[in-house]
Structures are given as structure tokens and as C-alpha cells.
Amino acid sequence: MLPELSREEILRYSRHLLIPEVGLEGQRKLKNSSALIVGTGGLGSPVALYLAAAGVGRIGLVDYDVVELSNLQRQVIHGTSTIGKLKVDSAKEKLQDLNPDIQIDIYNEPFTSANALRIAKDYDVLIDGTDNFPTRYLTNDVCVFLGKPNIYGSIFRFDGQLSVFYAKEGPCYRCLFPEPPPPGLIPSCAEGGVLGILPGTIGTLQATEALKVLLGIGEPMIGKLLLYNALDMSFDFVNLKKNPKCRVCGPNADIKELIDYEEFCGVPGHDHGVDGSAGAGLDIPALDLKNRLSPAGNSKLILLDVREPHELQISALPNAINIPLGQLAARLTELDSADDMVVFCKAGTRSARALELLVSAGFKKVKNLKGGINAWAMDVDQSLPIY
Amino acid sequence: MAIVRFPALMKFYVDNQSEFSVTGSTVKELLDNLVVRYPTLKTHLFDSNGSLRRYFNIFVNGVHIRELNGMDSPLNENDKIILMASAAGG
């Protein structure tokens, strides 16, 4: 039995009730349905706002972060007044104002193998709005094991991806990506940036797919993937089929329960960088670098900045050589492997990758500025901005 | 020549272009020619055994090469090749 709509709800949703594909019955279906949004950031913001406005009866929000100033360029569910608050509290407040007739359940905890099945089991769909590979693989596997659709979206700079992974009827995320990229290869939005509107575009498409799935209307993006580019305003659609070798949903699947996703991906399950470290013995803290560069520090020290040239306009260290990470392999001849060298980037992730490349090319006296130029701005030169 | 489309994550290695033409009668030939033009791509696309890395997907006219003939999938003039990498941002 679907729940009835109150007089107020009939008025609130009148524009839906006018559409034959939704109508009164569809709106009652939405009232009876539930969606779990994993991540209340760039993608999660528009998804939550539109699903709440649309009248999805129960919305779950999973996030353990607090609202920061640098979120507000794209995470429109939060605001300047909620900086420092838990994202789930900030989001719940906004959603309840938008639609007091729905239930908002918040989970102020990381989504992990230990809690994911418990949290997800009573929801009709999951929406992947996470910002890291471990949580994406976890969300996928949870959906496969519980037989639920995974409304997938991801973003980077001007590019977005959208699909509905539903192993009962089509491929899952692992069918497309059997393995994650090596740690550090694919920059996160924190490292590589993202157009603030992009999660709005992809997130509203995710919300659209979620509504279609919940209402059982139209053709959800099962077995299809959208590749969107905002600069070209191009929408490329490709077809996806189940991968017969898929380890979670294939006929010979060998992954039967949730695994350790951080170990599988080799990175932590959050987007705060890999703490900007290159590993044991390869880092130099900002304060130590300051001492090395002081007149008493004597020896010749090369500073290698592996950021993109446009980032140097935000902050820079004097006398540093700039070779962007992507060009480093081709430009090694510009460097002397006998030199003492400190490599840096914004936060230490790209420079850690550069260090691997330099060490494998025979450079022996190289160190990674731990935490990047942002750590330098925090610990040594407060006149530099942190970005 | 086939037209190859690059994800933002990789534009960086191909002079910031998002799309350009590359010759090759198969996907493998096309990738080999691509790597000749942009040598830094090689380690990103292929592992030490020369196999395409598993976090890349290649589509020819919207169809995954897994559904065609893999790296030996034949290419025709003006075929649209999409190289796709996983992205985690959200």
C-alpha cells in the first residue's frame, strides 16, 4: 500500500502530478521510496536538494567531514554560515527547510566495510557522490551484494561521467574498472581542480536517474555511460556490457564479501591527499627545508616545482625550477642526478609521484617537500596563500 | 584516420588537446602511433608487459573494444575512438 498524500503535499508536488509519467501514483511511490547519498559534497549537494524537493520519502546522508570555505565554490547545499559544521548537519538543515515532509537520516561516519551493509540495506537506491576510489569500489560492491542500483557520477575539471550500475540488469562499476589506478596517478579534485558547476550538471543528472529508477519510468542509464565535457559541451554515450571476468558480478566471481578497500586501492578513503608524503626517509618537512635554504645551510640545493605553470601565479618559491609532472619524464635531461634536490607541488601528492620517477631514473639525493607549498605557506611563509 | 578523444586527465600529455586524428588500421596500431607522437603516454597507457592498463577503457564508435576484437579491433576512416580513464572526483 502506497502512502496517501496530504492536501499540502498535493499542492507542493502539483507540477509532478500534472505529468502523466509521474502523476498521483508516482508521487506516492516517491513518498514511499528511499535513497542513500554517499558523500554530501559536490555531487551529493544537488542530488540531495533535488531528491528532497521531488519528495523522495526518506533520504540518507553519509559524510564525516565538516564544511570548509573551499567547499562552497561547488557544494551548494552548504553555506558560509555553516562553515565548521558537520556536513550532514548542514545538509539536513537545508533539506528540512526545503521539504519538511520527508525524513532525513544522517550518518556522521565514514562509509566503510564495517558499516556499509548495515547503513545501505534499507534503501532502494544508492547514489555515489564520493570523492575517492576506495569508497567508489565499496559503494559498488555493497550495491552488487544487496542487489541495489548504484547511481554513479564522477567529475574532474570539465569532465563528468554518469551511469547506473545495476548488476541484476547490467554491468557494475568493476565490470568497467576492474582495478583502480595506482595511487597518485589520477589527481583528485583537491589536487587537479574542478569547475564548480560541473557537479551541479552531473549531480542533477544523477538525481534524474534516481527518480527514473524509483518511479520505474523511462530508460535508466543501465549499460550506458555518459562522458560529458563542459568546454566542448559534448555528450558522448558509450555502451557497457557485463564483464564476464568481473570479480564481483561475473559468473566466476571470487569476491563474495566486502574487502579492505583502502588496501585494494592503496590510498585512504578520503580526498585529503595521501598526506603529501613520499614515504619513509623521502620527505623533508617545510621547517627543515627552511633551515637547509638559510645561509648557514650552505650546500647547493635545487628546488623543483612540478605544478602546472598557472599554479605559480597563486604561490611560488623563489629560484625554483618549474617542470610540470606530466613533462618530467621527457625533460629529465634538464636536471643533474648528482644535485641535491627538493621536489614540491601543491600538497605533496604530485611531487611524491615525481620522486618515484626521479629515483627510478637514478637520482639519489632527492626529497619530497611534505605537504607541498601549502605546508610551506602554513609553517614558514604565512604571506603565501593556501589553496 | 580515426579521431581519438582524450579524457581531461590525459589531455595534459597530448599538448592539451581533447581530440585529434591518428592513423592506424587497428586499435593497437593507433595506440603505437600515438605513443610515437607522445612518448610520455606510454607508461600511462601500458604496463611493463605492454598490456593496456586496466583502469583505461577504449571505445570504438561507442562500443567497448572488449566487445570487438580487443587491441586487434579494426579501424576505419573517421571512426571515433574514446579513451577513458577512471575519475574519482565528487
Side-chain angles (χ1 to χ4, degrees):
Chain A
M1 268 292 276
L2 293 174
E4 296 297 333
L5 299 187
S6 68
R7 284 176 66 85
E8 287 74 19
E9 284 174 317
I10 287 173
L11 186 56
R12 175 182 282 271
Y13 303 122
S14 67
R15 301 301 188 276
H16 267 172
L17 307 186
L18 289 164
I19 311 174
E21 288 82 352
V22 184
L24 190 65
E25 193 185 332
Q27 196 62 52
R28 289 169 65 200
K29 260 191 204 171
L30 289 181
K31 184 173 180 175
N32 198 39
S33 69
S34 57
L36 180 68
I37 305 170
V38 186
T40 313
L43 292 170
S45 289
V47 173
L49 286 167
Y50 276 103
L51 292 188
V56 171
R58 188 164 72 99
I59 292 176
L61 304 171
V62 191
D63 209 310
Y64 65 100
D65 252 335
V66 295
V67 180
E68 294 176 23
L69 184 57
S70 63
N71 298 150
L72 300 181
Q73 161 256 21
R74 64 200 177 285
Q75 300 183 13
V76 294
I77 203 167
H78 310 297
T80 308
S81 65
T82 61
I83 289 173
K85 271 194 178 183
L86 288 173
K87 281 189 176 174
V88 287
D89 287 339
S90 162
K92 183 176 181 178
E93 201 175 292
K94 187 74 161 269
L95 296 180
Q96 280 188 325
D97 179 49
L98 183 60
N99 191 345
D101 296 332
I102 60 167
Q103 182 182 331
I104 315 283
D105 292 332
I106 57 174
Y107 306 92
N108 173 35
E109 50 194 310
F111 200 53
T112 68
S113 298
N115 63 15
L117 291 169
R118 168 179 58 80
I119 292 174
K121 69 178 173 23
D122 293 328
Y123 288 91
D124 297 325
V125 296
L126 269 71
I127 292 148
D128 183 350
T130 61
D131 59 8
N132 62 82
F133 286 112
T135 318
R136 288 191 181 278
Y137 280 93
L138 168 65
T139 304
N140 177 72
D141 293 0
V142 164
C143 286
V144 173
F145 295 146
L146 295 177
K148 296 180 192 292
N150 171 16
I151 318 287
Y152 163 82
S154 76
I155 50 170
F156 179 73
R157 292 193 172 167
F158 295 96
D159 278 11
Q161 300 176 1
L162 172 82
S163 189
V164 175
F165 294 117
Y166 190 23
K168 278 184 177 173
E169 296 182 14
C172 78
Y173 178 69
R174 280 185 191 262
C175 290
L176 186 62
F177 299 114
E179 283 173 10
L185 181 71
I186 306 283
S188 66
C189 291
E191 190 71 14
V194 62
L195 182 73
I197 302 160
L198 183 68
T201 310
I202 298 298
T204 46
L205 292 176
Q206 285 180 284
T208 309
E209 289 303 305
L211 278 199
K212 282 160 62 183
V213 168
L214 292 171
L215 288 168
I217 60 171
E219 287 185 34
M221 291 274 292
I222 298 168
K224 281 179 282 186
L225 176 78
L226 165 68
L227 299 165
Y228 166 71
N229 179 274
L231 282 183
D232 306 337
M233 200 46 81
S234 60
F235 293 77
D236 287 304
F237 290 88
V238 297
N239 297 310
L240 304 176
K241 289 196 175 154
K242 264 189 174 310
N243 183 347
K245 294 179 183 163
C246 180
R247 294 185 62 193
V248 281
C249 79
N252 301 311
D254 63 331
I255 298 175
K256 306 281 190 194
E257 55 187 30
L258 299 181
I259 59 171
D260 182 334
Y261 293 88
E262 298 196 350
E263 188 189 3
F264 175 62
C265 298
V267 291
H270 56 72
D271 181 27
H272 296 185
V274 199
D275 77 2
S277 168
L282 293 171
D283 289 323
I284 180 167
L287 285 170
D288 289 4
L289 176 61
K290 183 190 171 204
N291 294 334
R292 287 281 305 274
L293 290 172
S294 67
N298 63 51
S299 63
K300 183 188 168 199
L301 184 64
I302 303 290
L303 290 176
L304 176 62
D305 183 345
V306 295
R307 295 175 300 158
E308 300 293 299
H310 64 270
E311 294 178 76
L312 273 62
Q313 293 170 14
I314 308 167
S315 62
L317 296 184
N319 304 319
I321 302 168
N322 178 224
I323 303 180
L325 177 59
Q327 299 173 17
L328 188 58
R331 294 176 59 184
L332 282 177
T333 49
E334 295 173 34
L335 302 168
D336 185 342
S337 62
D339 281 341
D340 269 312
M341 197 179 296
V342 171
V343 189
F344 68 96
C345 61
K346 175 195 163 199
T349 310
R350 279 172 287 175
S351 51
R353 189 117 191 112
L355 214 71
E356 282 173 23
L357 203 157
L358 290 167
V359 169
S360 68
F363 286 70
K364 292 195 170 60
K365 297 193 286 184
V366 282
K367 294 272 184 197
N368 174 50
L369 174 56
K370 190 175 184 197
I373 196 167
N374 274 354
W376 179 270
M378 192 175 294
D379 298 339
V380 177
D381 182 358
Q382 281 84 17
S383 73
L384 287 180
I386 291 169
Y387 70 106
Chain B
M1 282 198 286
I3 298 154
V4 185
R5 190 163 182 84
F6 286 87
L9 293 158
M10 303 205 40
K11 273 168 69 174
F12 190 59
Y13 302 103
V14 291
D15 292 339
N16 239 2
Q17 303 169 88
S18 52
E19 196 174 282
F20 55 85
S21 299
V22 185
T23 54
S25 61
T26 63
V27 170
K28 184 174 186 316
E29 253 185 60
L30 177 135
L31 293 180
D32 287 345
N33 290 335
L34 189 63
V35 166
V36 169
R37 205 191 297 186
Y38 298 104
T40 44
L41 269 181
K42 190 170 180 179
T43 54
H44 294 286
L45 286 175
F46 301 108
D47 64 21
S48 51
N49 301 320
S51 306
L52 185 72
R53 292 188 186 275
R54 298 182 75 195
Y55 45 86
F56 278 113
N57 286 283
I58 300 178
F59 298 88
V60 179
N61 300 327
V63 181
H64 199 288
I65 58 168
R66 196 167 59 217
E67 313 297 331
L68 301 168
N69 202 9
M71 296 289 272
D72 296 322
S73 305
L75 296 179
N76 295 308
E77 191 74 16
N78 295 327
D79 275 352
K80 186 168 185 180
I81 317 296
I82 293 179
L83 264 176
M84 196 193 102
S86 39

